[in-house]
Amino acid sequence: MSAPLFLVESLPAGSSFTLDGPEGHHAATVQRLRVGEALILADGRGGTARGEVTAVGRGSVDVMMLSWAEEPAADPRLVVVQGIAKGDRGELAVQAMTETGVDEILPWAASRSVAQWRGDRGFKARDKWATTAREAAKQARRSWLPQITGEPDCSTKQVAARIGGAAAAFVLHEEETERLSVVPLPESGEIVLVVGPEGGISDAELTAFREAGAVPVRLGDAVLRTSTAGVAALAVLSARLGRW
């Protein structure tokens, strides 16, 4: 099994470091790391450092730092506009998309979204998505932490504006004939992928996204759930872009 990854605000510059706080508690109490075991520290912005546990305390571990590395930001960047879903489907989508390599996720208040993120509830829900992405990034050993950006519930107008500034944008829609597996992709910049909620994307929304420059595409013959469509699309793009 590969060394576990823990997120820190900034990487240690010296040869020794004490991992404490929630991450230290997780390392010492939950993962039960022992002296001599390896671990990885990451700042969530591409920087990583490998080390070896030298001592384990109550809720903390002492680490001897061995090496440092810097991973450049992905280019093209993969940005998913995820229609807000009811229940835990949105969190399932965030978790799986993080593991699949998404760089940024925007929650979208689509006209057919059953769940509504209004007021404090919206900020709490977005924070929950951010926590889910953080934990999934650690599980996947990612040096870059995906961003959960925009308003708690981005409007269709805001999504269209983001599409207009992208190098390429695609809307998943089961009635289209053009496939994501063959459409032209840019060599750099931002690729925006729009995933609708359980009820799908309305005609008005599809028209707005087309006018902003997005290309509606399909994945295959099966109609996927909102919690899996983005993951499948990211897998296609990751393979085509040489990430996988």
Side-chain angles (χ1 to χ4, degrees):
M1 183 176 178
S2 59
L5 183 145
F6 301 93
L7 288 168
V8 293
E9 286 297 322
S10 58
L11 296 178
S15 60
S16 61
F17 178 72
T18 297
L19 181 65
D20 53 16
E23 294 291 81
H25 170 78
H26 190 77
T29 307
V30 180
Q31 297 236 348
R32 297 184 179 181
L33 294 184
R34 297 292 179 259
V35 172
E37 291 189 300
L39 58 73
I40 304 169
L41 302 178
D43 60 11
R45 301 178 297 277
T48 58
R50 290 183 175 269
E52 182 180 296
V53 177
T54 57
V56 180
R58 180 173 291 182
S60 67
V61 295
D62 293 338
V63 184
M64 176 176 63
M65 306 310 305
L66 301 175
S67 63
W68 289 259
E70 193 76 27
E71 180 184 347
D75 187 27
R77 294 183 75 246
L78 298 178
V79 179
V80 174
V81 175
Q82 174 66 52
I84 295 172
K86 64 181 180 181
D88 62 353
R89 290 179 183 172
E91 291 164 45
L92 289 173
V94 170
Q95 176 183 332
M97 289 192 296
T98 298
E99 294 174 3
T100 314
V102 71
D103 297 303
E104 185 179 345
I105 302 172
L106 278 74
W108 170 39
S111 62
R112 294 176 180 172
S113 289
V114 176
Q116 299 294 322
W117 288 8
R118 294 196 178 103
D120 290 341
R121 179 183 179 183
F123 289 100
K124 290 178 181 178
R126 187 182 64 178
D127 289 346
K128 198 167 186 179
W129 278 25
T131 298
T132 299
R134 178 184 176 89
E135 294 307 312
K138 290 167 57 178
Q139 177 67 32
R141 315 297 197 266
R142 289 192 57 176
S143 60
W144 282 91
L145 185 62
Q147 299 173 298
I148 309 295
T149 58
E151 298 293 330
D153 51 349
C154 289
S155 67
T156 296
K157 184 177 180 180
Q158 290 171 316
V159 173
R162 187 63 181 267
I163 288 171
F170 306 102
V171 182
L172 298 185
H173 199 279
E174 69 273 12
E175 295 180 3
E176 296 300 321
T177 56
E178 193 162 16
R179 294 179 182 267
L180 183 62
S181 57
V182 297
V183 292
L185 299 178
E187 294 183 0
S188 64
E190 190 171 275
I191 299 176
V192 174
L193 183 72
V194 181
V195 181
E198 297 96 327
I201 297 173
S202 71
D203 291 341
E205 289 166 338
L206 188 60
T207 297
F209 297 154
R210 280 183 190 271
E211 292 177 350
V215 177
V217 295
R218 68 184 301 163
L219 287 169
D221 295 332
V223 178
L224 303 183
R225 290 181 179 270
T226 186
S227 56
T228 55
V231 182
L234 284 170
V236 171
L237 292 175
S238 294
R240 293 192 59 195
L241 293 170
R243 289 192 179 193
W244 287 13

